[in-house]
Amino acid sequence: MLQKCEGIVIRRTDYGENNKIVTIYTREFGKIGVMARGAHKPSSRLSAVTQLFYYGYFLFMPSKGLGGLQQGEMIDSMRSIREDIFATAYASYVVELLDKSVDDRTANPYLFELLHQTLHYIDEGYDPEVLKFIFEMKMLQVNGLNPVLDQCAVCGTTEGEFSFSIKEGGFICQKCLQRDRYHLKISQTSVKLLRLFYYFDLSRLGNISIKPETKKELQKIIDAYYDEYSGLHLKSKKFLKQMDAMKDVLGKRET
C-alpha cells in the first residue's frame, strides 16, 4: 500500500546507470531509504524531486528493505542553496550530521522542524556559519551528549567568568581551572552564545551578527567537543573547511 510523507532529501547515491538510492528525512517516519528508478535520466519525473535538500511530499511503496519512490510534489526546492557553493557546503554538513546521528525509521517531528528551519534559513541567505553552530549545539542532545552550560561543571557555581573544559564536559569557573590544565579560554560573548544556541528556539531566530574572532572561538570549542565525545566522522567537514579557507582568502583579497 502506497504511503505519503513530508520530507527532505538528505542523501542520494547513483545505483546502476539510471537509478538513485535516495535517503529522505521525513516528518512521519524519520529517516527512510527509497529506490528512485530511472531518476538519473533528465527526462524522468523523479529527477527533480530527488535533488539534495529538496523539500516536498513523497509517495512511496514501503518494503522491508528499500522502498520504491513513486512520485514527489514540491514544497520548496531549496534552489538557492545549490546555486551557492558556500551554502551547499554548510547545508551538506548539516544533512550529513543529521544522517549520521539518527537511526532509520525513528520519527522525531522536532528534529524534522529543526532540519527544515535550518535549511530554509540557509536558503534565505542567513549566515550559514551561525546556523551550523546552532544546529551542532542542538544535535548534541540527539547524540546523547549534554555539556554543562548553565553552571561550573566542577563546583556548580553560576557566578563569574567561565572557560571551557573538554575534560570536564562543559564550563568551568576561574576557581576550578586547575582541574583541567588544557582548558580553553573563551570570551564571555562565546559563553553566552553557546548557551543561547543550545537552549533557544530556532524559529525565533533574528539577524545574528558575530565577529570573526568569536566565530573561531565557537568553532574551536564545538569541534573539540564533538571530536572527543561524538565518535562521528563526517566527509562533508573536510569540504566545509576547504570552503572556509577559500572564504578567508577571498576576504583578505577584498581588503
Side-chain angles (χ1 to χ4, degrees), residues 15 25 44 48 56 59 89 127 134 142 145 175 179 187 189 215 231 240 242 250:
Y15 185 81
Y25 194 73
S44 170
L59 197 64
D127 188 332
I134 296 172
V142 176
L145 304 175
K175 294 180 180 179
R179 291 287 293 269
S187 67
T189 298
K215 286 183 176 181
L240 184 57
Q242 291 173 340
L250 292 174

Side-chain angles (χ1 to χ4, degrees), residues 164-177:
F164 197 92
S165 170
I166 301 300
K167 175 185 173 184
E168 300 296 337
F171 292 146
I172 54 172
C173 69
Q174 300 303 299
K175 294 180 180 179
C176 296
L177 293 182

Side-chain angles (χ1 to χ4, degrees):
M1 181 178 178
L2 289 174
Q3 291 184 329
K4 185 177 182 179
C5 63
E6 177 185 353
I8 297 170
V9 175
I10 62 172
R11 177 159 44 99
R12 59 183 197 151
T13 306
D14 291 342
Y15 185 81
E17 290 187 6
N18 299 316
N19 308 323
K20 293 179 185 176
I21 296 175
V22 182
T23 303
I24 305 172
Y25 194 73
T26 73
R27 184 186 298 276
E28 296 85 354
F29 310 110
K31 184 172 68 173
I32 63 171
V34 292
M35 177 70 75
R37 298 192 179 281
H40 206 56
K41 297 178 180 179
S43 60
S44 170
R45 57 190 172 84
L46 296 180
S47 178
V49 303
T50 53
Q51 294 291 314
L52 196 60
F53 317 125
Y54 185 95
Y55 170 41
Y57 295 109
F58 298 89
L59 197 64
F60 69 100
M61 180 67 73
S63 71
K64 291 183 179 179
L66 289 173
L69 183 63
Q70 304 299 310
Q71 65 183 62
E73 177 186 344
M74 184 182 74
I75 299 175
D76 189 345
S77 70
M78 303 286 183
R79 182 177 177 181
S80 294
I81 293 178
R82 292 192 297 276
E83 292 177 343
D84 184 301
I85 191 170
F86 294 105
T88 297
Y90 284 101
S92 296
Y93 175 80
V94 164
V95 296
E96 188 183 5
L97 177 55
L98 176 94
D99 189 11
K100 294 293 179 64
S101 300
V102 300
D103 295 324
D104 291 347
R105 293 190 171 274
T106 303
N108 187 331
Y110 162 77
L111 198 52
F112 179 83
E113 282 299 327
L114 176 65
L115 175 65
H116 169 239
Q117 288 170 354
T118 301
L119 294 179
H120 174 71
Y121 282 133
I122 294 176
D123 190 62
E124 288 292 308
Y126 284 72
D127 188 332
E129 192 171 7
V130 173
L131 289 164
K132 180 183 77 77
F133 293 149
I134 296 172
F135 193 80
E136 286 175 314
M137 293 302 292
K138 298 294 188 189
M139 289 300 293
L140 287 173
Q141 294 184 55
V142 176
N143 283 285
L145 304 175
N146 297 283
V148 179
L149 301 177
D150 57 348
Q151 62 184 28
C152 174
V154 177
C155 71
T157 185
T158 58
E159 303 297 328
E161 295 187 355
F162 294 94
S163 294
F164 197 92
S165 170
I166 301 300
K167 175 185 173 184
E168 300 296 337
F171 292 146
I172 54 172
C173 69
Q174 300 303 299
K175 294 180 180 179
C176 296
L177 293 182
Q178 72 278 5
R179 291 287 293 269
D180 181 7
R181 59 184 294 192
Y182 301 108
H183 64 269
L184 302 172
K185 293 184 179 180
I186 57 174
S187 67
Q188 296 314 292
T189 298
S190 291
V191 169
K192 292 177 182 177
L193 287 172
L194 286 170
R195 285 175 175 161
L196 178 67
F197 295 165
Y198 187 73
Y199 291 112
F200 96 121
D201 184 350
L202 182 58
S203 65
R204 298 168 57 191
L205 179 70
N207 285 313
I208 299 179
S209 179
I210 301 177
K211 295 179 180 178
E213 56 268 28
T214 303
K215 286 183 176 181
K216 291 186 185 301
E217 281 188 351
L218 294 171
Q219 189 63 72
K220 184 178 181 180
I221 293 164
I222 295 172
D223 279 352
Y225 193 84
Y226 265 90
D227 289 345
E228 180 68 22
Y229 294 111
S230 74
L232 298 174
H233 302 283
L234 308 181
K235 294 179 180 179
S236 58
K237 196 166 191 176
K238 182 178 180 180
F239 177 51
L240 184 57
K241 288 185 179 298
Q242 291 173 340
M243 291 298 100
D244 284 340
M246 184 186 299
K247 185 167 58 176
D248 289 341
V249 170
L250 292 174
K252 290 177 181 178
R253 287 180 179 176
E254 289 177 359
T255 56

